[in-house]
Amino acid sequence: MAKTFRIINRRDLLTGEKKAVLFAYGADAQSEEKVLSRLNASRKQGEDILFDFCFGGKMQMHLLPGLSEQTVRELSRFRYHTAYAVCKKTAKGEDVLYLSLLKDSALRFRASIPAAVLTAKGKSVANPNYFVKELKLCL
């Protein structure tokens, strides 16, 4: 897709861990600041010392490979409220590696990462450090 989205992280103020919770479509600094101020204002009293919201990286939205250009343009017209992110656990939370509109595409991307599959006792198992997470759109 032709759209770029920002990942919104929930930052734990005690430990410094960041976890992806939402994604937003904002092209300018003013709209990004408005989204962050609204999210931080929505915290209940007492939660403001526990966590806050901050922006992570910018990500392109991905679709299944092999779709025609016309289909991609048609899908780009609509605003989708759910996306799927392939995340990797790190020492300070998690990093978003891939953002996809379809869960199937996110699962395929995770399966294509060599480190996402471990071999234990002759069997291939999924690495728990790589996972697919559902993110909601924040307007």
Side-chain angles (χ1 to χ4, degrees):
M1 275 173 95
K3 296 181 182 177
T4 302
F5 294 91
R6 295 290 308 256
I7 305 297
I8 300 174
N9 294 329
R10 180 179 168 169
R11 180 175 48 205
D12 188 344
L13 296 175
L14 301 175
T15 62
E17 287 185 1
K18 293 182 181 179
K19 295 189 177 193
V21 291
L22 300 166
F23 72 103
Y25 180 72
D28 59 346
Q30 184 179 9
S31 64
E32 291 176 355
E33 186 62 37
K34 199 180 286 187
V35 167
L36 276 183
S37 64
R38 189 178 56 219
L39 284 172
N40 285 324
S42 71
R43 298 175 296 179
K44 295 177 184 167
Q45 188 173 2
E47 288 181 342
D48 55 346
I49 61 170
L50 298 176
F51 69 90
D52 69 346
F53 294 97
C54 62
F55 279 110
K58 288 186 178 182
M59 302 286 297
Q60 292 282 333
M61 182 71 74
H62 296 280
L63 289 171
L64 287 171
L67 291 178
S68 68
E69 191 64 36
Q70 181 181 2
T71 306
V72 171
R73 270 188 260 126
E74 184 67 30
L75 288 172
S76 296
R77 287 187 197 170
F78 301 103
R79 182 176 300 165
Y80 294 93
H81 299 284
T82 303
Y84 298 93
V86 178
C87 301
K88 177 187 176 189
K89 286 185 186 176
T90 61
K92 287 292 185 178
E94 62 193 27
D95 289 335
V96 177
L97 304 174
Y98 186 79
L99 186 65
S100 175
L101 178 64
L102 305 171
K103 188 172 187 177
D104 183 46
S105 177
L107 291 172
R108 286 183 189 187
F109 181 81
R110 185 190 70 179
S112 70
I113 301 172
V117 178
L118 299 174
T119 304
K121 298 181 184 177
K123 294 183 179 180
S124 296
V125 293
N127 187 346
N129 290 333
Y130 294 88
F131 56 93
V132 176
K133 186 177 203 176
E134 183 179 302
L135 301 179
K136 297 289 182 181
L137 177 66
C138 180
L139 298 175

